[in-house]
Each structure stands twice: as C-alpha cells, then as structure tokens.
C-alpha cells in the first residue's frame, strides 16, 4: 500500500454550511504531509472525518486501507491523534492522562514516555486544570509520540508552544519520519511546514487549491525584498524575480527562496544602505493567488 | 468594577431561560403546597395536634425546624418550605454565582472579558448581581404565590423575605468559594459544604444542642423570622450584614489572586497510573460526586427511618392528610405508606444523579474530551456504555443505601431486625424506575449532544406527574407515563414482578435505540 490517506471529492455540510466542498487529499505512506489553510477552511473537519467522528455527505475516504467510519476502532489501533484544542480531564494529572491515552491505544513504552516528558520539560504530577494551553498540548503530543502508531494525525500541534518547544517538536517529527511513520500535519505556519514536510496540500473554503511537493510549490514561497543601494543597480537577470521595481537606487521585488542568497550577494556587491526583507505570510499568498476567486 | 453592568446584562441574557425556569419552579411549588395546606388540616384541633407532634419529634425538627405557632395554618403547612426552602434558595444563589465566575474562568471566558475594557472585579460583581436579582425575584414572586393561594399576606411576605436573605448570604458565599478553588466543581463543593454546615448547625441548635447554634447559622436567621408565627423581620438584618461582609471578602480575595489561579493551590498528583480503560475513566470522573450523594442519601435515609414511627401520631385527627398519604402510597398502613412515598421520592432524586451523569457525558463531548478517547480504539458505544454503567450502578447504590439506612433506623427504633430487611428490600423495587429515567436521558444524548439537558425536563415532568397528578386528577394514561407510577408500593403492598420486568425491558429497549441513533450521528465539539 502506498497511500496512507486517500480522499476524493469529500463533502461535509453542517446544516446550510458547506464546510468541505469536494476536497481531495492524498498522503503517501512514510511521508510528512503538510495540510495548510486559513482559519475555518476545513482542516479540523477533514481530520474529524478521517477519525470517524464525523460522517461524510459525499466522496470517498480511505484511511490505512479501510473505511474510517465503518472500521473506526480497528483503524485507531494504528494511529495517534493530537487535537488542535487539547482539553484534558481537569482532575487527572498530566502523567495519568498520558498513561490513559497510551493504554487506550494498547500500551505505552515507559522508557520512551519518560524520555519525551523530560525532553518537553513537562511536569507530569500537575493536575490538568493547572496546565497552560501549551502544556496541555505537550501532554497530548507526548502521548501521541510515545505510541508506536504508524500514522500520526496532528492538528495544529504547535499553536500553543513557545519557539524552543516548537524546535523540539520539529526534531521529534523528523525522528518519526526517519522511523518510517506517516505524519499528517495541519498548520497555518508556513515556515513549520517548509521545514518538515515532504508534500503539502493547501485548502481554502473546503476545497483543495494546491497540492504537491515543496519544490512544486516553491513559487509560493517568495521573499519580498526592499533594498536601497549605495552604488548602481547590478544585473539581476536569471534570478526569476517577480514584480521587479527599480526606482533610482531602490530595488523592490519578490524573489524565490532558493535565489535569495544569490540576489543578496549581487546587491551586497553593489553596496547596500538599507534592506528590508519579508517572507510572505500564508494569508498574503492566499490573497495574491486566490483572493480574486473568493 | 468598570463595565459590570454590561456583563450583568450579558449574564442575564445568557440565562434568560434558566433563571425564569428556576424562579417558576419555586413559585409553582409554593403555590401548590400552600393550596394543598387548607385541605390537609381542616380543623384547629387536628392542626394543633399535628403541630405538637412535629415539635415532639426530634428527627422532624432537625430536618425542618420547629413550628413556632401550632395554631397557625401557615406555620404548619409551610413547615417543609421554611428552613428547607431558604436553603434551596441559597443553593440556587451559590450555583448561579459560581456558574458566572469560576466556571467561566475555568474555560477561559473571563480572560476574553478581562482583556476588554472591563474592570478587575466586574465579572464577580455581575455574577453576584445576577444571583441576587434571581433570589430576590424568587422570594418576591413566591410570597405573592403563597398569598394568592390563600395564606396570610404578612406571613407570606416574611417567608419570601426569609428565602431571599438566605439566598443573598449564600450568593456571597458562592462568590468567596469561586475565589478559593481552581475548578467550578471544587468551588461548588466548598460552597455547598458551607450551606450544609449551616443547615446542620441549626438542626443541632433546634434539637439537642445549645439554642445559640441556630443563631450562628444563616439558615437559622431565616427560620427565626418565624413566618406565619409572629413574623419578625429583625433577624433579616443579620443576614443582610453577613451577605455584604462576605461579598466584600470575595472582592478582597479576588484582589489578591491571579486570573485563573485559586487561593487553594492544586495538590500535585501521581506521575503514573490513572484510569486503565473507559470504564475506569468514567468511574474516576464520577466517583467523587457519587460519594457526596451517597453520604447525603445515607443521612436522609436514617432521618426518614427515624421519623416514620411518629407519623401516625402527628396525623391524629387529620383524616384528610391520612387519606391523602393512603391515596399516594396505596396502602392502609400509614407508616408503610409514609416509607413507600419517601422511597419513591428519593428514588426520583437518585434518578437525578443518573441524569446528571448522562448530561456530563454530553459535556465531555462538547468540551472535546470525547474526541480524544474516540480517536483511540475505544468505540463510541463502549465509551457511552461505560458512563451509563456508572450512572446505573450509582443510582442503584444510592437507592439501596437509603433503604438500608432507613431500615436500620426502623430496626433500632422498633427493636425488630426484620424491619431492616423489609425496608431495604422495598427500596430495591425503585431501581428499575430510576434506570428508565437514565435510559431516557441516554436516548436524548444519543439523538443529539445538545438534547441531553432536556432529560432534566423529563425528570421534572415525572415529578409533576407524581406529586400533582393525583391532586390535579390528571387522566390516568398521563399518570401512567411516569415509570414511578408502576412501582409496587412496598413496604406493605404485594410484590408485583410484572411491572418491574416491563420497566427493565423498556430500559433495555431505550438503551438499544440509543445505540442505533448514536452510531449514526456526528460527534460534535463545541
Ligand atoms: N459542528 C459544526 N457545526 C457547524 N459548523 C461547523 C462545525 N464544525 C465546523 N464548522 C464550520 O466548518 C468550517 C470549517 O471548520 P474547521 O474547524 O474544519 O476549520 P479549520 O481549518 O480547522 O480552522 P482553524 O484553522 O481555525 O482551526 C468553518 O466554517 C466552521 O464554522
Ligand atoms: Mg482547526
């Protein structure tokens, strides 16, 4: 089997709201797949359909070779899930929740569990109600990472983590990939997806608008550069720049990330007096590429 | 405090159904019991006999308080509503305050409000205001209902005021409790414990203990306003002063703590272990609540058992009342009829425990904790059944515990050990009816997570059918709708097995139907 998840033409409505509108998504076994989209685009809804919590209205969904609605319990032996908004039982301690979720999934490896707790600097003796949002998320992450599930479904797992913990999370996901696990990572942080994912699907209004490897999608990750030079403007040909605008000694353009170093070298050689460079946010990209179709 | 009126309006808007329903329950029950009073105690002789009998029964005085004027119809007719009514209004006040303070804070709603342009104490002030308005409305409208039902106006106003001031005191107590613990549950536990302590204090003061104990209790102050028996208003001053002082204390404590934190720090717990599966998780979630209910049931059972033997005595010369108990209990023997009626009623309360568990199950789904369990190999049916199992087992335990405690008290009272078996055994037949109510709640939950709360309406419907159905002469088929209508009136009646088997079959059918519905629907968070 080469695909862990295959979704085609998935439709899910809540009353009159069409949350998923013929969505397609394919996640290959062994890859880390980024699942991107703005707020309310349908990421969590898709994941809940995959988990057999929501019933689809139309379309076909295959998860690990089975039907996520009919074969839910059997399929859940093989996956672990971290929800976007982690809610824990207030009276249980973090350690108890990790053990509980582990047991429900069929057992925990105590060594792995303890190592992860230590790595994420989690206090497992604290009652869940006393955890911050980030710490609740860590509890769910540790429980998922300590399992030996072949598929990890992570719904915006870093939205509450501080930058240090986010870095740690990235290491963990890379480790999981090297152990051959498949990861579906929903996010709206482009840099996180860039750092981790082999392939990416971008959805908007419940519909897939882009899917492919990061190299395929490279055109989405352009950096905007605004530089004022001390010398004459150098030759900028062959860099694949877009929206190039030269005004006296001032250069403004969008440059594909791989060519950024090259551009800066050429500008630097000409002498830079000021430089502002900005990676585009996901929202800007959406606005640029799809805003007029809304 | 800046912005608290805005929050107050928001709170009233959010509870625009809940608060009027509660007020209506108090008003309707007041009217109903006041209207029934006249027919119960027709002539002054039977009235005085009943009054003296109550005052001579320590268990009754402990439960309801003494009757300060045995010649006053209102004082005797409203005996059960005096201290008890005040305490229930207090309960309403504290629950409302905690709902709008700690419960909101726990889920982070207060943070949203706090980040806006409202003052530090605005949420607390708005919650206190909401509850205060509610208890005053309960007192005022109930006073009107009592007077409208034919009781003296002066006494009715006093009783309404006594309820309202007790409500105000415990509204303030709820405000303090919300500052102490970090969870709404623990806050409710603290405030309810304070209420129970106040109730016990006056119970002891009214019976064996020194009389000043009654004066140390807010419930005692309300009782000492002596509605229909002299109508004294000055004890209300104690209550109002205490309410203001305690509310000020709540504000002071809030001043000193961080948002989200409590004064009582959470104790650290074990780093390993915990529940092992869905059933063990359900047990862990509900065991504390069950323990609380169980201690209450054991105490209540013992009290009821102790009172039983004095029932004929205090109904002497009150043929109407005896007639009614006979009609309700369906047996000639008064004590048995009394016990049967009380066992029926407490089994309804046990059903409320079961319903509360199913409603919490819906809460688990709404708060997203169901999702985390259901993404594991635990299927939704197994997960719901685990909670149902605790609800069924818990309600059965409560019923049997109450029956056993009542039987024990009877056995001690009469010296006959057989009483223990007879009363404890009689309690068993109530279990199927409570289970049927739990299954109704489950069916509603299975249809939709949001529908689960309507199980409370079903339960209130059953109470109304049972309490007022015979009085209001509702058509028989309607009364038959209540599962409690089909329970054999043990002790004293013949044990009929068929209705019990039918109730169990209905329960099983409802659970099966729930499974069918539940398998088809979406699990929805939020
Ligand atoms: N239970 C529900 N009832 C009604 N509408 C819903 C429900 N669940 C989701 N929706 C709607 O479906 C759409 C998709 O929501 P979803 O939660 O899947 O978005 P998302 O991509 O996860 O967003 P976010 O990035 O904010 O987490 C939204 O418009 C949302 O309002
Ligand atoms: Mg989401």
């Amino acid at each position: 089997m080469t695909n862990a998840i295959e979704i085609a033409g998935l439709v899910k409505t809540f009353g009159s709201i069409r949350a998923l509108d013929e969505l397609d998504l394919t996640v290959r076994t062994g890859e880390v797949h980024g699942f991107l989209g703005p707020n309310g685009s349908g990421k969590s809804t898709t994941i809940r359909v995959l988990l057999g919590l929501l019933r689809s209205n139309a379309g076909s969904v295959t998860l690990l070779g089975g039907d996520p609605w009919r074969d839910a319990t059997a399929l859940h032996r093989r996956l672990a899930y971290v929800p976007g908004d982690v809610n824990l039982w207030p009276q249980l301690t973090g350690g108890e929740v990790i053990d509980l979720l582990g047991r429900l999934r069929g057992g925990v490896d105590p060594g792995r569990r303890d190592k992860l707790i230590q790595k994420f600097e989690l206090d497992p003796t604290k009652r869940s109600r006393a955890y911050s949002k980030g710490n609740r998320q860590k509890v769910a992450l540790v429980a998922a990472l300590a399992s030996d599930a072949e598929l990890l479904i992570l719904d915006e797992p870093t939205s509450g983590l501080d930058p240090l913990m986010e870095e740690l999370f990235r290491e963990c996901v890379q480790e999981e990939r090297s152990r051959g696990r498949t990861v579906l990572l929903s996010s709206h942080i482009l840099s996180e997806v860039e750092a981790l994912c082999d392939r990416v699907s971008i959805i908007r209004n419940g519909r897939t608008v882009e899917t492919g490897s990061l190299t395929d999608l490279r055109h989405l990750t352009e950096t905007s550069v605004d530089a004022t030079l001390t010398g004459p403007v150098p030759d900028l040909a062959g860099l694949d720049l877009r929206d190039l605008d030269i005004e006296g000694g001032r250069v403004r353009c969008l440059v594909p990330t791989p060519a950024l170093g090259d551009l800066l070298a050429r500008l630097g050689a000409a002498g830079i007096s000021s430089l502002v460079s900005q990676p585009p946010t996901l929202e800007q990209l959406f606005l640029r590429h799809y805003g007029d179709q809304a | 405090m800046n912005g608290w009126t805005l929050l107050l309006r928001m709170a009233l808007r959010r509870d625009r159904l809940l608060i009027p329903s509660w007020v209506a329950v108090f008003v309707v029950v007041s009217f109903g019991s006041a209207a029934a009073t006249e027919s119960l105690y027709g002539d002054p002789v039977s009235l005085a006999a009943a009054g003296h009998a109550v005052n001579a029964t320590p268990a009754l005085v402990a439960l309801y308080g003494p009757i300060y004027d045995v010649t006053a119809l209102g004082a005797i007719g409203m005996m059960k509503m005096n201290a008890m009514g005040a305490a229930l209004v207090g309960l309403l006040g504290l629950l409302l305050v905690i709902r709008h303070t700690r419960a909101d804070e726990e889920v982070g709603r207060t943070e949203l409000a706090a980040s806006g342009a409202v003052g530090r104490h605005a949420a607390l002030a708005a919650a206190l205001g909401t509850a205060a308005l509610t208890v005053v409305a309960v007192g005022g409208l109930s006073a009107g209902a009592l007077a409208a039902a034919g009781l003296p106006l002066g006494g009715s106003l006093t009783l309404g005021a006594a309820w309202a001031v007790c409500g105000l005191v415990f509204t303030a107590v709820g405000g303090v409790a919300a500052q102490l613990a970090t969870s709404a549950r623990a806050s409710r536990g603290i405030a309810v414990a304070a209420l129970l302590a106040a109730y016990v204090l006056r119970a002891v003061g009214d019976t064996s203990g020194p009389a000043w104990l009654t004066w140390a209790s807010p419930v005692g102050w309300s009782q000492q306003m002596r509605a229909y028996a002299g109508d004294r208003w000055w004890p209300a001053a104690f209550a109002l002063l205490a309410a203001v002082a305690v509310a000020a204390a709540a504000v002071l404590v809030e001043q000193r703590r961080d948002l989200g934190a409590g004064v009582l720090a959470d104790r650290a717990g074990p780093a390993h272990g915990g529940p092992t599966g869905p059933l063990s998780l359900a047990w862990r979630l509900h065991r504390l609540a069950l323990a609380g209910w169980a201690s209450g049931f054991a105490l209540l059972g013992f009290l009821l058992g102790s009172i039983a033997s004095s029932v004929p005595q205090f109904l002497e010369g009150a043929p109407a009342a005896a007639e009614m108990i006979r009609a309700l209990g369906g047996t000639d023997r008064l004590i048995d009829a009394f016990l049967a009626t009380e066992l029926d009623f407490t089994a309804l309360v046990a059903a409320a425990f079961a319903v509360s568990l199913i409603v919490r199950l819906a809460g688990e789904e709404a708060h997203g904790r169901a999702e985390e369990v259901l993404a594991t190999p635990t299927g939704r049916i197994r997960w719901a059944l685990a909670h149902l199992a605790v609800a069924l087992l818990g309600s059965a335990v409560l019923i049997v515990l109450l029956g056993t405690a009542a039987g024990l008290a009877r056995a001690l009272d009469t010296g006959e050990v057989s009483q223990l078996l007879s009363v404890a055994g009689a309690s068993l037949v109530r279990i199927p009816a409570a289970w049927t109510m739990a299954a109704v709640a489950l069916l509603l939950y299975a249809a939709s997570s949001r529908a689960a709360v309507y199980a409370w309406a079903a339960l209130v419907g059953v109470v109304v059918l049972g309490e007022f159905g015979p009085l209001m002469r509702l058509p028989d088929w309607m009364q038959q709708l209540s599962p409690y209508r089909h329970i054999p009136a043990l002790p004293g009646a013949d044990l009929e097995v068929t209705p019990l088997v039918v109730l169990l079959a209905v329960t099983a059918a409802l659970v099966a139907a729930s499974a069918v519905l539940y398998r088809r629907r979406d699990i929805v968070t939020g």
Side-chain angles (χ1 to χ4, degrees):
Chain A
M1 196 188 57
T2 52
N3 289 334
I5 296 171
E6 269 175 66
I7 299 179
L10 176 61
V11 176
K12 176 68 197 173
T13 58
F14 297 104
S16 61
I17 303 172
R18 210 170 161 85
L20 300 181
D21 186 11
E22 306 203 354
L23 180 129
D24 304 308
L25 175 68
T26 304
V27 177
R28 296 180 190 149
T29 302
E31 76 176 359
V32 177
H33 194 103
F35 192 33
L36 286 160
N39 292 127
S41 54
K43 301 182 296 292
S44 300
T45 304
T46 308
I47 287 175
R48 291 195 174 111
V49 171
L50 281 172
L51 292 170
L53 297 167
L54 301 179
R55 191 174 199 171
S56 62
N57 296 91
S60 72
V61 183
T62 312
L63 172 74
L64 300 171
D67 176 340
W69 180 263
R70 254 201 359 255
D71 316 325
T73 49
L75 292 175
H76 291 174
R77 279 179 222 295
R78 300 162 57 193
L79 63 82
Y81 164 58
V82 176
D85 198 0
V86 181
N87 284 288
L88 306 173
W89 298 272
Q91 60 272 62
L92 300 191
T93 63
E96 287 178 317
V97 171
I98 292 170
D99 280 6
L100 168 67
L101 291 175
R103 283 175 185 143
L104 291 175
R105 288 190 190 116
V108 256
D109 173 348
R112 243 174 101 67
R113 178 203 115 118
D114 292 343
K115 228 171 67 195
L116 282 162
I117 287 179
Q118 210 167 37
K119 206 164 162 184
F120 279 101
E121 295 170 17
L122 188 70
D123 175 1
T125 65
K126 234 175 160 173
R127 306 268 169 206
S128 298
R129 73 169 74 90
Y131 282 129
S132 65
K133 175 180 161 69
N135 279 327
R136 287 201 303 271
Q137 216 151 26
K138 285 192 217 166
V139 169
L141 269 174
V142 169
L145 293 173
S147 74
D148 51 357
E150 57 196 88
L151 170 65
L152 296 177
I153 297 183
L154 313 176
D155 192 356
E156 297 184 32
T158 57
S159 57
L161 299 187
D162 62 42
L164 273 176
M165 288 300 148
E166 201 179 313
E167 189 49 44
L168 210 61
F169 165 77
R170 290 183 189 185
E171 276 170 32
C172 286
V173 171
Q174 258 140 11
E175 205 176 296
E176 296 310 318
R177 188 201 0 226
S178 64
R179 294 170 71 203
R181 300 219 234 181
T182 311
V183 180
L184 176 64
L185 172 66
S186 118
S187 177
H188 36 212
I189 307 171
L190 197 59
S191 62
E192 177 177 281
V193 172
E194 273 192 290
L196 288 176
C197 299
D198 306 300
R199 292 193 330 125
V200 174
S201 292
I202 298 179
I203 66 166
R204 185 166 187 270
N205 290 338
R207 205 184 258 277
T208 312
V209 289
E210 291 281 348
T211 185
S213 73
L214 273 179
T215 347
D216 296 342
L217 300 183
R218 231 9 130 181
H219 68 280
L220 286 178
T221 60
E222 294 169 314
T223 304
S224 88
V225 171
D226 182 345
T228 310
L229 306 180
T230 49
V233 176
D235 173 26
L236 298 174
L239 288 175
D240 234 353
L241 304 182
R242 288 203 311 123
D243 296 353
L244 181 62
D245 179 17
I246 302 178
E247 245 183 75
R250 188 171 177 197
V251 178
R252 279 184 294 177
C253 64
L254 292 170
V255 57
T257 310
L260 182 61
D262 208 352
L263 172 70
L264 288 185
R266 291 191 207 182
L267 294 177
I272 301 175
S273 69
S274 90
L275 175 72
V276 179
S277 124
Q278 230 169 17
T281 64
L282 191 56
E283 275 66 22
Q284 283 173 326
L285 286 167
F286 276 115
L287 284 177
R288 177 164 314 124
H289 289 271
Y290 316 106
D292 44 14
Q293 291 163 26
Chain B
M1 294 263 292
N2 201 358
W4 75 279
T5 48
L6 176 72
L7 294 183
L8 176 71
R9 279 201 302 275
M10 274 168 61
L12 289 174
R13 203 183 128 67
R14 195 170 131 213
D15 283 347
R16 64 189 179 277
L17 277 178
L18 187 79
I19 290 178
S21 320
W22 273 114
V23 174
V25 167
F26 277 95
V27 170
V28 167
V29 172
S30 302
F31 187 86
S33 21
T37 304
E38 195 104 29
S39 63
L40 272 177
Y41 309 98
D43 58 296
V45 181
S46 65
L47 195 66
H52 284 301
V54 169
N55 284 342
T57 312
L60 274 178
V61 174
L63 194 57
Y64 300 124
I67 290 169
Y68 293 107
D69 181 354
V70 294
T71 63
L73 181 68
I76 295 177
M78 288 294 109
M79 169 185 77
K80 288 192 184 180
M81 310 280 280
N82 202 335
M84 195 77 98
L88 286 175
V89 178
L91 181 67
L92 175 60
L94 70 88
L95 289 179
L96 269 176
V97 169
I98 292 169
R99 173 179 158 80
H100 288 284
T101 49
R102 180 56 70 178
D104 275 356
E105 196 169 333
E106 201 179 5
V107 296
R109 255 196 296 262
T110 318
E111 257 169 84
L112 282 176
S115 61
V118 298
R120 186 174 170 81
H121 302 296
L124 176 60
L128 290 172
T130 305
L133 284 176
T134 306
V135 297
V136 168
V138 166
L141 294 173
S142 300
L146 291 167
L151 290 177
L153 180 63
S156 303
L157 287 176
T158 313
L159 188 62
W163 282 9
V165 295
C166 188
L168 291 176
V169 173
F170 285 98
T171 290
V173 168
V176 172
Q179 311 307 316
L180 296 182
T182 49
S183 76
R185 274 188 110 192
S187 299
R188 280 192 289 267
I190 292 169
V192 169
L195 178 63
L196 285 178
Y199 206 81
V200 168
L201 219 55
R202 63 131 286 280
V204 177
D206 286 344
T207 51
S208 53
W212 62 263
L213 283 180
T214 304
W215 288 97
S217 157
V219 181
W221 299 329
S222 290
Q223 181 187 312
Q224 286 293 352
M225 288 173 72
R226 304 195 171 180
Y228 305 106
D231 296 335
R232 310 191 294 189
W233 281 67
W234 55 264
F238 290 112
L240 291 176
L241 279 177
V244 171
V246 177
V251 173
L252 278 181
V253 178
E254 186 172 60
Q255 185 80 45
R256 281 152 191 275
R257 71 175 180 90
D258 295 331
L259 189 63
V263 172
L264 308 174
D266 279 307
R267 270 175 301 125
H272 287 272
T276 52
L279 188 61
S280 129
L281 174 62
W283 171 246
R284 174 75 181 266
L285 295 183
H286 304 308
R287 66 180 183 195
L288 249 181
L290 180 61
W293 284 67
S295 36
F297 265 63
L299 199 72
L300 185 63
F302 198 83
L303 264 173
L304 290 172
S306 321
I307 302 170
S309 61
S310 57
V311 168
Q313 177 196 350
F314 99 84
L315 285 176
E316 246 162 48
E323 193 72 37
M324 198 177 79
I325 289 207
R326 243 180 257 131
L328 290 173
T331 160
D332 294 335
R333 294 178 48 213
L334 210 49
I335 294 181
D336 282 349
F338 169 78
L339 284 171
T341 309
E342 298 301 329
L343 285 177
D344 276 354
F345 187 74
T346 48
L348 254 170
V349 184
F353 168 78
V355 166
S356 78
L357 250 62
I358 304 295
V359 171
R360 279 198 67 202
L361 177 65
E364 288 285 292
E365 180 176 338
H367 291 130
R369 291 188 287 259
E371 188 173 294
E372 276 144 60
V373 173
L374 297 182
T376 72
T378 302
R380 47 174 85 186
I381 302 284
R382 246 186 95 201
W383 178 73
L385 284 182
H387 286 262
L388 180 71
V390 178
L392 297 186
L393 185 81
S395 52
V397 164
L398 291 179
I399 289 171
V400 173
L401 201 60
L402 185 127
T404 311
L408 188 67
R410 289 285 296 145
L412 290 174
D413 200 14
T414 58
E416 297 166 28
V417 182
S418 63
Q419 285 286 341
L420 174 59
L421 283 179
S422 133
V423 182
S427 66
L428 290 175
V429 302
R430 274 80 189 178
I431 294 175
W435 284 5
T436 308
M437 294 313 294
V440 168
L442 186 72
L443 185 71
L444 286 166
Y445 167 66
S448 139
S449 173
R450 295 218 173 113
V453 291
Y454 293 112
W456 290 119
L459 200 65
V460 169
V462 167
V463 173
V464 169
L465 284 178
E467 293 290 296
F468 299 110
L471 290 176
M472 298 193 318
R473 303 215 161 74
L474 290 180
D476 204 46
W477 65 264
M478 214 187 241
Q479 296 192 37
Q480 300 270 353
L481 282 178
S482 163
Y484 289 82
R485 172 84 178 179
H486 305 280
I487 302 171
L490 293 176
D494 291 331
L495 173 63
E496 288 172 74
V497 178
T498 322
L500 300 180
V501 173
V502 171
L503 280 178
L504 287 176
V506 169
T507 304
L510 287 171
V511 172
S514 306
V516 172
L517 288 179
Y518 196 43
R519 223 174 241 134
R520 289 156 178 266
R521 80 162 166 87
D522 287 347
I523 299 291
V524 189
T525 302

